[in-house]
PDB file of all heavy atoms in Angstrom:
ATOM      1  N   LYS V 171     -48.608  47.277  -3.749  1.00  0.00           N
ATOM      2  CA  LYS V 171     -48.005  48.128  -2.718  1.00  0.00           C
ATOM      3  C   LYS V 171     -47.890  47.360  -1.403  1.00  0.00           C
ATOM      4  O   LYS V 171     -46.868  47.447  -0.698  1.00  0.00           O
ATOM      5  CB  LYS V 171     -48.831  49.394  -2.530  1.00  0.00           C
ATOM      6  CG  LYS V 171     -48.275  50.353  -1.506  1.00  0.00           C
ATOM      7  CD  LYS V 171     -49.141  51.593  -1.384  1.00  0.00           C
ATOM      8  CE  LYS V 171     -48.588  52.561  -0.330  1.00  0.00           C
ATOM      9  NZ  LYS V 171     -49.430  53.779  -0.206  1.00  0.00           N
ATOM     10  N   GLY V 172     -48.931  46.610  -1.054  1.00  0.00           N
ATOM     11  CA  GLY V 172     -48.888  45.813   0.169  1.00  0.00           C
ATOM     12  C   GLY V 172     -47.804  44.757   0.120  1.00  0.00           C
ATOM     13  O   GLY V 172     -47.071  44.546   1.099  1.00  0.00           O
ATOM     14  N   PHE V 173     -47.683  44.093  -1.032  1.00  0.00           N
ATOM     15  CA  PHE V 173     -46.634  43.093  -1.193  1.00  0.00           C
ATOM     16  C   PHE V 173     -45.251  43.736  -1.076  1.00  0.00           C
ATOM     17  O   PHE V 173     -44.319  43.137  -0.514  1.00  0.00           O
ATOM     18  CB  PHE V 173     -46.770  42.398  -2.545  1.00  0.00           C
ATOM     19  CG  PHE V 173     -47.907  41.408  -2.615  1.00  0.00           C
ATOM     20  CD1 PHE V 173     -48.314  40.882  -3.832  1.00  0.00           C
ATOM     21  CD2 PHE V 173     -48.566  40.991  -1.466  1.00  0.00           C
ATOM     22  CE1 PHE V 173     -49.354  39.970  -3.905  1.00  0.00           C
ATOM     23  CE2 PHE V 173     -49.608  40.071  -1.527  1.00  0.00           C
ATOM     24  CZ  PHE V 173     -50.006  39.564  -2.750  1.00  0.00           C
ATOM     25  N   ALA V 174     -45.105  44.931  -1.628  1.00  0.00           N
ATOM     26  CA  ALA V 174     -43.822  45.627  -1.565  1.00  0.00           C
ATOM     27  C   ALA V 174     -43.434  45.910  -0.116  1.00  0.00           C
ATOM     28  O   ALA V 174     -42.265  45.770   0.274  1.00  0.00           O
ATOM     29  CB  ALA V 174     -43.891  46.930  -2.361  1.00  0.00           C
ATOM     30  N   THR V 175     -44.411  46.286   0.689  1.00  0.00           N
ATOM     31  CA  THR V 175     -44.147  46.546   2.107  1.00  0.00           C
ATOM     32  C   THR V 175     -43.723  45.281   2.833  1.00  0.00           C
ATOM     33  O   THR V 175     -42.779  45.281   3.641  1.00  0.00           O
ATOM     34  CB  THR V 175     -45.399  47.143   2.776  1.00  0.00           C
ATOM     35  OG1 THR V 175     -45.794  48.327   2.079  1.00  0.00           O
ATOM     36  CG2 THR V 175     -45.126  47.479   4.225  1.00  0.00           C
ATOM     37  N   VAL V 176     -44.408  44.174   2.557  1.00  0.00           N
ATOM     38  CA  VAL V 176     -44.065  42.890   3.181  1.00  0.00           C
ATOM     39  C   VAL V 176     -42.660  42.455   2.764  1.00  0.00           C
ATOM     40  O   VAL V 176     -41.863  41.983   3.592  1.00  0.00           O
ATOM     41  CB  VAL V 176     -45.099  41.818   2.784  1.00  0.00           C
ATOM     42  CG1 VAL V 176     -44.658  40.436   3.271  1.00  0.00           C
ATOM     43  CG2 VAL V 176     -46.470  42.167   3.344  1.00  0.00           C
ATOM     44  N   LEU V 177     -42.349  42.618   1.483  1.00  0.00           N
ATOM     45  CA  LEU V 177     -41.024  42.237   0.992  1.00  0.00           C
ATOM     46  C   LEU V 177     -39.944  43.093   1.641  1.00  0.00           C
ATOM     47  O   LEU V 177     -38.861  42.592   1.969  1.00  0.00           O
ATOM     48  CB  LEU V 177     -40.974  42.373  -0.528  1.00  0.00           C
ATOM     49  CG  LEU V 177     -39.672  41.939  -1.202  1.00  0.00           C
ATOM     50  CD1 LEU V 177     -39.398  40.458  -0.942  1.00  0.00           C
ATOM     51  CD2 LEU V 177     -39.735  42.201  -2.711  1.00  0.00           C
ATOM     52  N   ALA V 178     -40.243  44.371   1.838  1.00  0.00           N
ATOM     53  CA  ALA V 178     -39.273  45.262   2.471  1.00  0.00           C
ATOM     54  C   ALA V 178     -38.956  44.814   3.889  1.00  0.00           C
ATOM     55  O   ALA V 178     -37.800  44.862   4.342  1.00  0.00           O
ATOM     56  CB  ALA V 178     -39.800  46.699   2.463  1.00  0.00           C
ATOM     57  N   GLU V 179     -39.959  44.365   4.629  1.00  0.00           N
ATOM     58  CA  GLU V 179     -39.742  43.884   5.994  1.00  0.00           C
ATOM     59  C   GLU V 179     -38.858  42.634   5.999  1.00  0.00           C
ATOM     60  O   GLU V 179     -37.981  42.484   6.862  1.00  0.00           O
ATOM     61  CB  GLU V 179     -41.083  43.583   6.656  1.00  0.00           C
ATOM     62  CG  GLU V 179     -41.950  44.818   6.887  1.00  0.00           C
ATOM     63  CD  GLU V 179     -43.319  44.472   7.440  1.00  0.00           C
ATOM     64  OE1 GLU V 179     -43.620  43.258   7.542  1.00  0.00           O
ATOM     65  OE2 GLU V 179     -44.093  45.394   7.758  1.00  0.00           O
ATOM     66  N   ALA V 180     -39.091  41.771   5.028  1.00  0.00           N
ATOM     67  CA  ALA V 180     -38.280  40.553   4.953  1.00  0.00           C
ATOM     68  C   ALA V 180     -36.829  40.881   4.611  1.00  0.00           C
ATOM     69  O   ALA V 180     -35.900  40.274   5.156  1.00  0.00           O
ATOM     70  CB  ALA V 180     -38.874  39.602   3.912  1.00  0.00           C
ATOM     71  N   VAL V 181     -36.632  41.839   3.712  1.00  0.00           N
ATOM     72  CA  VAL V 181     -35.264  42.235   3.335  1.00  0.00           C
ATOM     73  C   VAL V 181     -34.562  42.889   4.516  1.00  0.00           C
ATOM     74  O   VAL V 181     -33.362  42.688   4.748  1.00  0.00           O
ATOM     75  CB  VAL V 181     -35.296  43.187   2.122  1.00  0.00           C
ATOM     76  CG1 VAL V 181     -33.910  43.750   1.843  1.00  0.00           C
ATOM     77  CG2 VAL V 181     -35.823  42.462   0.885  1.00  0.00           C
ATOM     78  N   SER V 182     -35.299  43.678   5.287  1.00  0.00           N
ATOM     79  CA  SER V 182     -34.711  44.355   6.446  1.00  0.00           C
ATOM     80  C   SER V 182     -34.161  43.364   7.454  1.00  0.00           C
ATOM     81  O   SER V 182     -33.203  43.657   8.175  1.00  0.00           O
ATOM     82  CB  SER V 182     -35.753  45.254   7.117  1.00  0.00           C
ATOM     83  OG  SER V 182     -36.196  46.265   6.230  1.00  0.00           O
ATOM     84  N   SER V 183     -34.760  42.186   7.525  1.00  0.00           N
ATOM     85  CA  SER V 183     -34.279  41.164   8.466  1.00  0.00           C
ATOM     86  C   SER V 183     -32.884  40.675   8.108  1.00  0.00           C
ATOM     87  O   SER V 183     -32.218  40.040   8.931  1.00  0.00           O
ATOM     88  CB  SER V 183     -35.252  39.975   8.491  1.00  0.00           C
ATOM     89  OG  SER V 183     -35.266  39.310   7.232  1.00  0.00           O
ATOM     90  N   LEU V 184     -32.437  40.957   6.872  1.00  0.00           N
ATOM     91  CA  LEU V 184     -31.089  40.577   6.449  1.00  0.00           C
ATOM     92  C   LEU V 184     -30.082  41.682   6.730  1.00  0.00           C
ATOM     93  O   LEU V 184     -28.921  41.590   6.306  1.00  0.00           O
ATOM     94  CB  LEU V 184     -31.080  40.250   4.943  1.00  0.00           C
ATOM     95  CG  LEU V 184     -32.012  39.137   4.459  1.00  0.00           C
ATOM     96  CD1 LEU V 184     -31.896  38.978   2.956  1.00  0.00           C
ATOM     97  CD2 LEU V 184     -31.694  37.832   5.170  1.00  0.00           C
ATOM     98  N   ASP V 185     -30.546  42.744   7.407  1.00  0.00           N
ATOM     99  CA  ASP V 185     -29.692  43.909   7.694  1.00  0.00           C
ATOM    100  C   ASP V 185     -29.208  44.580   6.415  1.00  0.00           C
ATOM    101  O   ASP V 185     -28.074  45.065   6.339  1.00  0.00           O
ATOM    102  CB  ASP V 185     -28.487  43.494   8.557  1.00  0.00           C
ATOM    103  CG  ASP V 185     -28.913  43.061   9.956  1.00  0.00           C
ATOM    104  OD1 ASP V 185     -29.909  43.616  10.459  1.00  0.00           O
ATOM    105  OD2 ASP V 185     -28.256  42.167  10.516  1.00  0.00           O
ATOM    106  N   LEU V 186     -30.064  44.605   5.409  1.00  0.00           N
ATOM    107  CA  LEU V 186     -29.763  45.284   4.149  1.00  0.00           C
ATOM    108  C   LEU V 186     -30.601  46.555   4.041  1.00  0.00           C
ATOM    109  O   LEU V 186     -31.793  46.543   4.383  1.00  0.00           O
ATOM    110  CB  LEU V 186     -30.075  44.377   2.954  1.00  0.00           C
ATOM    111  CG  LEU V 186     -29.107  43.240   2.653  1.00  0.00           C
ATOM    112  CD1 LEU V 186     -29.663  42.366   1.534  1.00  0.00           C
ATOM    113  CD2 LEU V 186     -27.739  43.776   2.264  1.00  0.00           C
ATOM    114  N   PRO V 187     -30.011  47.639   3.573  1.00  0.00           N
ATOM    115  CA  PRO V 187     -30.805  48.848   3.326  1.00  0.00           C
ATOM    116  C   PRO V 187     -31.866  48.563   2.262  1.00  0.00           C
ATOM    117  O   PRO V 187     -31.593  47.891   1.262  1.00  0.00           O
ATOM    118  CB  PRO V 187     -29.771  49.856   2.812  1.00  0.00           C
ATOM    119  CG  PRO V 187     -28.452  49.331   3.264  1.00  0.00           C
ATOM    120  CD  PRO V 187     -28.588  47.847   3.278  1.00  0.00           C
ATOM    121  N   VAL V 188     -33.070  49.048   2.473  1.00  0.00           N
ATOM    122  CA  VAL V 188     -34.150  48.781   1.528  1.00  0.00           C
ATOM    123  C   VAL V 188     -34.957  50.050   1.303  1.00  0.00           C
ATOM    124  O   VAL V 188     -35.161  50.852   2.226  1.00  0.00           O
ATOM    125  CB  VAL V 188     -35.063  47.634   2.046  1.00  0.00           C
ATOM    126  CG1 VAL V 188     -35.681  48.001   3.374  1.00  0.00           C
ATOM    127  CG2 VAL V 188     -36.132  47.286   1.030  1.00  0.00           C
ATOM    128  N   ALA V 189     -35.393  50.263   0.070  1.00  0.00           N
ATOM    129  CA  ALA V 189     -36.227  51.411  -0.278  1.00  0.00           C
ATOM    130  C   ALA V 189     -37.415  50.918  -1.080  1.00  0.00           C
ATOM    131  O   ALA V 189     -37.268  50.086  -1.986  1.00  0.00           O
ATOM    132  CB  ALA V 189     -35.432  52.430  -1.091  1.00  0.00           C
ATOM    133  N   VAL V 190     -38.615  51.405  -0.728  1.00  0.00           N
ATOM    134  CA  VAL V 190     -39.834  51.072  -1.459  1.00  0.00           C
ATOM    135  C   VAL V 190     -40.228  52.282  -2.290  1.00  0.00           C
ATOM    136  O   VAL V 190     -40.393  53.389  -1.763  1.00  0.00           O
ATOM    137  CB  VAL V 190     -40.970  50.686  -0.492  1.00  0.00           C
ATOM    138  CG1 VAL V 190     -42.241  50.372  -1.272  1.00  0.00           C
ATOM    139  CG2 VAL V 190     -40.555  49.495   0.362  1.00  0.00           C
ATOM    140  N   ILE V 191     -40.356  52.079  -3.605  1.00  0.00           N
ATOM    141  CA  ILE V 191     -40.534  53.199  -4.531  1.00  0.00           C
ATOM    142  C   ILE V 191     -41.778  52.987  -5.392  1.00  0.00           C
ATOM    143  O   ILE V 191     -41.924  51.933  -6.026  1.00  0.00           O
ATOM    144  CB  ILE V 191     -39.300  53.358  -5.440  1.00  0.00           C
ATOM    145  CG1 ILE V 191     -38.036  53.570  -4.589  1.00  0.00           C
ATOM    146  CG2 ILE V 191     -39.486  54.517  -6.415  1.00  0.00           C
ATOM    147  CD1 ILE V 191     -36.751  53.505  -5.375  1.00  0.00           C
ATOM    148  N   ASN V 192     -42.635  53.985  -5.424  1.00  0.00           N
ATOM    149  CA  ASN V 192     -43.796  53.980  -6.308  1.00  0.00           C
ATOM    150  C   ASN V 192     -43.330  54.367  -7.704  1.00  0.00           C
ATOM    151  O   ASN V 192     -42.713  55.419  -7.897  1.00  0.00           O
ATOM    152  CB  ASN V 192     -44.841  54.976  -5.794  1.00  0.00           C
ATOM    153  CG  ASN V 192     -46.138  54.914  -6.589  1.00  0.00           C
ATOM    154  OD1 ASN V 192     -46.222  54.274  -7.645  1.00  0.00           O
ATOM    155  ND2 ASN V 192     -47.165  55.585  -6.092  1.00  0.00           N
ATOM    156  N   LEU V 193     -43.595  53.530  -8.690  1.00  0.00           N
ATOM    157  CA  LEU V 193     -43.139  53.806 -10.047  1.00  0.00           C
ATOM    158  C   LEU V 193     -43.712  55.108 -10.601  1.00  0.00           C
ATOM    159  O   LEU V 193     -43.135  55.695 -11.517  1.00  0.00           O
ATOM    160  CB  LEU V 193     -43.507  52.642 -10.973  1.00  0.00           C
ATOM    161  CG  LEU V 193     -42.661  51.374 -10.799  1.00  0.00           C
ATOM    162  CD1 LEU V 193     -43.224  50.241 -11.654  1.00  0.00           C
ATOM    163  CD2 LEU V 193     -41.206  51.639 -11.164  1.00  0.00           C
ATOM    164  N   LYS V 194     -44.816  55.563 -10.061  1.00  0.00           N
ATOM    165  CA  LYS V 194     -45.403  56.823 -10.518  1.00  0.00           C
ATOM    166  C   LYS V 194     -44.498  57.994 -10.200  1.00  0.00           C
ATOM    167  O   LYS V 194     -44.479  58.998 -10.916  1.00  0.00           O
ATOM    168  CB  LYS V 194     -46.776  57.020  -9.873  1.00  0.00           C
ATOM    169  CG  LYS V 194     -47.517  58.251 -10.366  1.00  0.00           C
ATOM    170  CD  LYS V 194     -48.893  58.358  -9.736  1.00  0.00           C
ATOM    171  CE  LYS V 194     -49.655  59.575 -10.300  1.00  0.00           C
ATOM    172  NZ  LYS V 194     -51.015  59.678  -9.709  1.00  0.00           N
ATOM    173  N   GLU V 195     -43.731  57.878  -9.128  1.00  0.00           N
ATOM    174  CA  GLU V 195     -42.858  58.962  -8.686  1.00  0.00           C
ATOM    175  C   GLU V 195     -41.409  58.744  -9.097  1.00  0.00           C
ATOM    176  O   GLU V 195     -40.523  59.484  -8.674  1.00  0.00           O
ATOM    177  CB  GLU V 195     -42.945  59.089  -7.159  1.00  0.00           C
ATOM    178  CG  GLU V 195     -44.359  59.341  -6.661  1.00  0.00           C
ATOM    179  CD  GLU V 195     -44.479  59.176  -5.161  1.00  0.00           C
ATOM    180  OE1 GLU V 195     -43.468  58.768  -4.535  1.00  0.00           O
ATOM    181  OE2 GLU V 195     -45.565  59.448  -4.618  1.00  0.00           O
ATOM    182  N   TYR V 196     -41.179  57.752  -9.933  1.00  0.00           N
ATOM    183  CA  TYR V 196     -39.806  57.388 -10.310  1.00  0.00           C
ATOM    184  C   TYR V 196     -39.543  57.781 -11.753  1.00  0.00           C
ATOM    185  O   TYR V 196     -40.354  57.508 -12.644  1.00  0.00           O
ATOM    186  CB  TYR V 196     -39.610  55.887 -10.132  1.00  0.00           C
ATOM    187  CG  TYR V 196     -38.207  55.394 -10.394  1.00  0.00           C
ATOM    188  CD1 TYR V 196     -37.187  55.622  -9.483  1.00  0.00           C
ATOM    189  CD2 TYR V 196     -37.910  54.687 -11.553  1.00  0.00           C
ATOM    190  CE1 TYR V 196     -35.898  55.157  -9.711  1.00  0.00           C
ATOM    191  CE2 TYR V 196     -36.636  54.214 -11.794  1.00  0.00           C
ATOM    192  CZ  TYR V 196     -35.627  54.457 -10.867  1.00  0.00           C
ATOM    193  OH  TYR V 196     -34.360  53.999 -11.107  1.00  0.00           O
ATOM    194  N   ASP V 197     -38.415  58.437 -12.002  1.00  0.00           N
ATOM    195  CA  ASP V 197     -38.043  58.866 -13.342  1.00  0.00           C
ATOM    196  C   ASP V 197     -36.952  57.942 -13.879  1.00  0.00           C
ATOM    197  O   ASP V 197     -35.783  58.091 -13.529  1.00  0.00           O
ATOM    198  CB  ASP V 197     -37.535  60.307 -13.320  1.00  0.00           C
ATOM    199  CG  ASP V 197     -37.339  60.873 -14.730  1.00  0.00           C
ATOM    200  OD1 ASP V 197     -37.359  60.076 -15.684  1.00  0.00           O
ATOM    201  OD2 ASP V 197     -37.180  62.095 -14.862  1.00  0.00           O
ATOM    202  N   PRO V 198     -37.287  56.972 -14.715  1.00  0.00           N
ATOM    203  CA  PRO V 198     -36.271  56.027 -15.203  1.00  0.00           C
ATOM    204  C   PRO V 198     -35.216  56.695 -16.068  1.00  0.00           C
ATOM    205  O   PRO V 198     -34.068  56.259 -16.097  1.00  0.00           O
ATOM    206  CB  PRO V 198     -37.097  55.011 -16.012  1.00  0.00           C
ATOM    207  CG  PRO V 198     -38.336  55.754 -16.409  1.00  0.00           C
ATOM    208  CD  PRO V 198     -38.618  56.694 -15.285  1.00  0.00           C
ATOM    209  N   ASP V 199     -35.588  57.755 -16.760  1.00  0.00           N
ATOM    210  CA  ASP V 199     -34.634  58.438 -17.623  1.00  0.00           C
ATOM    211  C   ASP V 199     -33.483  59.019 -16.825  1.00  0.00           C
ATOM    212  O   ASP V 199     -32.355  59.112 -17.307  1.00  0.00           O
ATOM    213  CB  ASP V 199     -35.354  59.549 -18.389  1.00  0.00           C
ATOM    214  CG  ASP V 199     -34.639  59.921 -19.670  1.00  0.00           C
ATOM    215  OD1 ASP V 199     -33.975  59.042 -20.240  1.00  0.00           O
ATOM    216  OD2 ASP V 199     -34.735  61.085 -20.095  1.00  0.00           O
ATOM    217  N   ASP V 200     -33.767  59.418 -15.588  1.00  0.00           N
ATOM    218  CA  ASP V 200     -32.744  60.010 -14.732  1.00  0.00           C
ATOM    219  C   ASP V 200     -32.042  58.991 -13.854  1.00  0.00           C
ATOM    220  O   ASP V 200     -30.824  59.048 -13.674  1.00  0.00           O
ATOM    221  CB  ASP V 200     -33.369  61.079 -13.824  1.00  0.00           C
ATOM    222  CG  ASP V 200     -33.659  62.367 -14.566  1.00  0.00           C
ATOM    223  OD1 ASP V 200     -33.315  62.441 -15.751  1.00  0.00           O
ATOM    224  OD2 ASP V 200     -34.251  63.272 -13.966  1.00  0.00           O
ATOM    225  N   HIS V 201     -32.810  58.055 -13.291  1.00  0.00           N
ATOM    226  CA  HIS V 201     -32.295  57.268 -12.174  1.00  0.00           C
ATOM    227  C   HIS V 201     -32.024  55.796 -12.468  1.00  0.00           C
ATOM    228  O   HIS V 201     -31.214  55.187 -11.769  1.00  0.00           O
ATOM    229  CB  HIS V 201     -33.264  57.367 -10.988  1.00  0.00           C
ATOM    230  CG  HIS V 201     -33.505  58.777 -10.528  1.00  0.00           C
ATOM    231  ND1 HIS V 201     -32.493  59.582 -10.070  1.00  0.00           N
ATOM    232  CD2 HIS V 201     -34.644  59.520 -10.479  1.00  0.00           C
ATOM    233  CE1 HIS V 201     -32.988  60.765  -9.739  1.00  0.00           C
ATOM    234  NE2 HIS V 201     -34.287  60.755  -9.977  1.00  0.00           N
ATOM    235  N   LEU V 202     -32.691  55.209 -13.455  1.00  0.00           N
ATOM    236  CA  LEU V 202     -32.531  53.768 -13.651  1.00  0.00           C
ATOM    237  C   LEU V 202     -31.099  53.419 -14.028  1.00  0.00           C
ATOM    238  O   LEU V 202     -30.552  52.407 -13.573  1.00  0.00           O
ATOM    239  CB  LEU V 202     -33.500  53.266 -14.723  1.00  0.00           C
ATOM    240  CG  LEU V 202     -33.571  51.739 -14.889  1.00  0.00           C
ATOM    241  CD1 LEU V 202     -33.961  51.074 -13.576  1.00  0.00           C
ATOM    242  CD2 LEU V 202     -34.566  51.360 -15.976  1.00  0.00           C
ATOM    243  N   VAL V 203     -30.473  54.259 -14.837  1.00  0.00           N
ATOM    244  CA  VAL V 203     -29.106  53.975 -15.266  1.00  0.00           C
ATOM    245  C   VAL V 203     -28.123  54.078 -14.103  1.00  0.00           C
ATOM    246  O   VAL V 203     -27.015  53.536 -14.159  1.00  0.00           O
ATOM    247  CB  VAL V 203     -28.711  54.931 -16.413  1.00  0.00           C
ATOM    248  CG1 VAL V 203     -28.472  56.344 -15.892  1.00  0.00           C
ATOM    249  CG2 VAL V 203     -27.483  54.431 -17.160  1.00  0.00           C
ATOM    250  N   GLU V 204     -28.523  54.756 -13.010  1.00  0.00           N
ATOM    251  CA  GLU V 204     -27.653  54.845 -11.845  1.00  0.00           C
ATOM    252  C   GLU V 204     -27.427  53.472 -11.212  1.00  0.00           C
ATOM    253  O   GLU V 204     -26.415  53.243 -10.541  1.00  0.00           O
ATOM    254  CB  GLU V 204     -28.260  55.799 -10.809  1.00  0.00           C
ATOM    255  CG  GLU V 204     -28.346  57.245 -11.274  1.00  0.00           C
ATOM    256  CD  GLU V 204     -29.061  58.133 -10.270  1.00  0.00           C
ATOM    257  OE1 GLU V 204     -29.482  57.593  -9.214  1.00  0.00           O
ATOM    258  OE2 GLU V 204     -29.193  59.333 -10.528  1.00  0.00           O
ATOM    259  N   GLU V 205     -28.374  52.568 -11.420  1.00  0.00           N
ATOM    260  CA  GLU V 205     -28.256  51.235 -10.839  1.00  0.00           C
ATOM    261  C   GLU V 205     -27.165  50.409 -11.506  1.00  0.00           C
ATOM    262  O   GLU V 205     -26.784  49.351 -11.004  1.00  0.00           O
ATOM    263  CB  GLU V 205     -29.593  50.499 -10.945  1.00  0.00           C
ATOM    264  CG  GLU V 205     -30.760  51.214 -10.276  1.00  0.00           C
ATOM    265  CD  GLU V 205     -30.509  51.485  -8.807  1.00  0.00           C
ATOM    266  OE1 GLU V 205     -29.935  50.614  -8.134  1.00  0.00           O
ATOM    267  OE2 GLU V 205     -30.869  52.578  -8.339  1.00  0.00           O
ATOM    268  N   VAL V 206     -26.660  50.886 -12.654  1.00  0.00           N
ATOM    269  CA  VAL V 206     -25.626  50.142 -13.375  1.00  0.00           C
ATOM    270  C   VAL V 206     -24.381  49.980 -12.518  1.00  0.00           C
ATOM    271  O   VAL V 206     -23.759  48.917 -12.477  1.00  0.00           O
ATOM    272  CB  VAL V 206     -25.281  50.857 -14.704  1.00  0.00           C
ATOM    273  CG1 VAL V 206     -24.049  50.247 -15.341  1.00  0.00           C
ATOM    274  CG2 VAL V 206     -26.461  50.771 -15.668  1.00  0.00           C
ATOM    275  N   THR V 207     -23.976  51.043 -11.836  1.00  0.00           N
ATOM    276  CA  THR V 207     -22.743  51.014 -11.055  1.00  0.00           C
ATOM    277  C   THR V 207     -22.976  50.697  -9.580  1.00  0.00           C
ATOM    278  O   THR V 207     -22.024  50.607  -8.815  1.00  0.00           O
ATOM    279  CB  THR V 207     -22.019  52.364 -11.170  1.00  0.00           C
ATOM    280  OG1 THR V 207     -22.907  53.419 -10.766  1.00  0.00           O
ATOM    281  CG2 THR V 207     -21.585  52.607 -12.611  1.00  0.00           C
ATOM    282  N   SER V 208     -24.231  50.570  -9.185  1.00  0.00           N
ATOM    283  CA  SER V 208     -24.518  50.263  -7.780  1.00  0.00           C
ATOM    284  C   SER V 208     -24.474  48.759  -7.558  1.00  0.00           C
ATOM    285  O   SER V 208     -24.420  47.974  -8.489  1.00  0.00           O
ATOM    286  CB  SER V 208     -25.899  50.798  -7.390  1.00  0.00           C
ATOM    287  OG  SER V 208     -26.916  50.000  -7.971  1.00  0.00           O
ATOM    288  N   LYS V 209     -24.484  48.384  -6.304  1.00  0.00           N
ATOM    289  CA  LYS V 209     -24.527  46.964  -5.953  1.00  0.00           C
ATOM    290  C   LYS V 209     -25.918  46.570  -5.477  1.00  0.00           C
ATOM    291  O   LYS V 209     -26.089  45.570  -4.781  1.00  0.00           O
ATOM    292  CB  LYS V 209     -23.498  46.663  -4.858  1.00  0.00           C
ATOM    293  CG  LYS V 209     -22.050  46.849  -5.293  1.00  0.00           C
ATOM    294  CD  LYS V 209     -21.653  45.848  -6.355  1.00  0.00           C
ATOM    295  CE  LYS V 209     -20.192  46.006  -6.733  1.00  0.00           C
ATOM    296  NZ  LYS V 209     -19.782  45.032  -7.770  1.00  0.00           N
ATOM    297  N   ASN V 210     -26.902  47.365  -5.864  1.00  0.00           N
ATOM    298  CA  ASN V 210     -28.275  47.090  -5.446  1.00  0.00           C
ATOM    299  C   ASN V 210     -28.880  45.946  -6.249  1.00  0.00           C
ATOM    300  O   ASN V 210     -28.453  45.651  -7.371  1.00  0.00           O
ATOM    301  CB  ASN V 210     -29.149  48.331  -5.629  1.00  0.00           C
ATOM    302  CG  ASN V 210     -28.779  49.448  -4.678  1.00  0.00           C
ATOM    303  OD1 ASN V 210     -28.346  49.190  -3.558  1.00  0.00           O
ATOM    304  ND2 ASN V 210     -28.937  50.685  -5.111  1.00  0.00           N
ATOM    305  N   VAL V 211     -29.889  45.353  -5.677  1.00  0.00           N
ATOM    306  CA  VAL V 211     -30.769  44.425  -6.395  1.00  0.00           C
ATOM    307  C   VAL V 211     -32.139  45.084  -6.448  1.00  0.00           C
ATOM    308  O   VAL V 211     -32.646  45.554  -5.429  1.00  0.00           O
ATOM    309  CB  VAL V 211     -30.850  43.060  -5.701  1.00  0.00           C
ATOM    310  CG1 VAL V 211     -31.924  42.190  -6.358  1.00  0.00           C
ATOM    311  CG2 VAL V 211     -29.505  42.354  -5.753  1.00  0.00           C
ATOM    312  N   SER V 212     -32.716  45.145  -7.635  1.00  0.00           N
ATOM    313  CA  SER V 212     -34.010  45.802  -7.821  1.00  0.00           C
ATOM    314  C   SER V 212     -35.102  44.756  -7.992  1.00  0.00           C
ATOM    315  O   SER V 212     -34.974  43.835  -8.805  1.00  0.00           O
ATOM    316  CB  SER V 212     -33.972  46.723  -9.049  1.00  0.00           C
ATOM    317  OG  SER V 212     -32.985  47.726  -8.894  1.00  0.00           O
ATOM    318  N   ALA V 213     -36.161  44.905  -7.219  1.00  0.00           N
ATOM    319  CA  ALA V 213     -37.319  44.020  -7.337  1.00  0.00           C
ATOM    320  C   ALA V 213     -38.495  44.826  -7.882  1.00  0.00           C
ATOM    321  O   ALA V 213     -38.784  45.919  -7.385  1.00  0.00           O
ATOM    322  CB  ALA V 213     -37.673  43.418  -5.984  1.00  0.00           C
ATOM    323  N   PHE V 214     -39.142  44.307  -8.913  1.00  0.00           N
ATOM    324  CA  PHE V 214     -40.263  44.998  -9.547  1.00  0.00           C
ATOM    325  C   PHE V 214     -41.543  44.193  -9.306  1.00  0.00           C
ATOM    326  O   PHE V 214     -41.655  43.050  -9.753  1.00  0.00           O
ATOM    327  CB  PHE V 214     -40.015  45.163 -11.042  1.00  0.00           C
ATOM    328  CG  PHE V 214     -38.862  46.068 -11.368  1.00  0.00           C
ATOM    329  CD1 PHE V 214     -37.572  45.562 -11.468  1.00  0.00           C
ATOM    330  CD2 PHE V 214     -39.049  47.430 -11.564  1.00  0.00           C
ATOM    331  CE1 PHE V 214     -36.494  46.389 -11.760  1.00  0.00           C
ATOM    332  CE2 PHE V 214     -37.992  48.260 -11.855  1.00  0.00           C
ATOM    333  CZ  PHE V 214     -36.713  47.745 -11.950  1.00  0.00           C
ATOM    334  N   LEU V 215     -42.478  44.800  -8.611  1.00  0.00           N
ATOM    335  CA  LEU V 215     -43.778  44.193  -8.342  1.00  0.00           C
ATOM    336  C   LEU V 215     -44.809  44.973  -9.139  1.00  0.00           C
ATOM    337  O   LEU V 215     -45.179  46.095  -8.783  1.00  0.00           O
ATOM    338  CB  LEU V 215     -44.105  44.240  -6.846  1.00  0.00           C
ATOM    339  CG  LEU V 215     -43.477  43.160  -5.943  1.00  0.00           C
ATOM    340  CD1 LEU V 215     -41.963  43.200  -6.013  1.00  0.00           C
ATOM    341  CD2 LEU V 215     -43.941  43.327  -4.513  1.00  0.00           C
TER     342      LEU V 215
END
């Protein structure tokens, strides 16, 4: 979690929108496939 926060700060310096997500609160069945059509890059720590 700490590393995720540090990484988010570094990404923000690029003027890119960033979201930090706890996998416990994330439903892959609903949301992971949404990334197919997005232009996001997902980082998994």
Side-chain angles (χ1 to χ4, degrees):
K171 181 179 179 180
F173 285 168
T175 304
V176 173
L177 183 61
E179 294 175 355
V181 172
S182 298
S183 65
L184 302 179
D185 293 328
L186 285 174
V188 60
V190 179
I191 302 170
N192 186 350
L193 286 173
K194 184 178 183 179
E195 302 168 355
Y196 184 74
D197 189 347
D199 203 29
D200 284 357
H201 302 300
L202 188 58
V203 73
E204 295 175 0
E205 302 303 321
V206 170
T207 56
S208 73
K209 295 294 183 180
N210 292 328
V211 172
S212 300
F214 294 88
L215 279 59

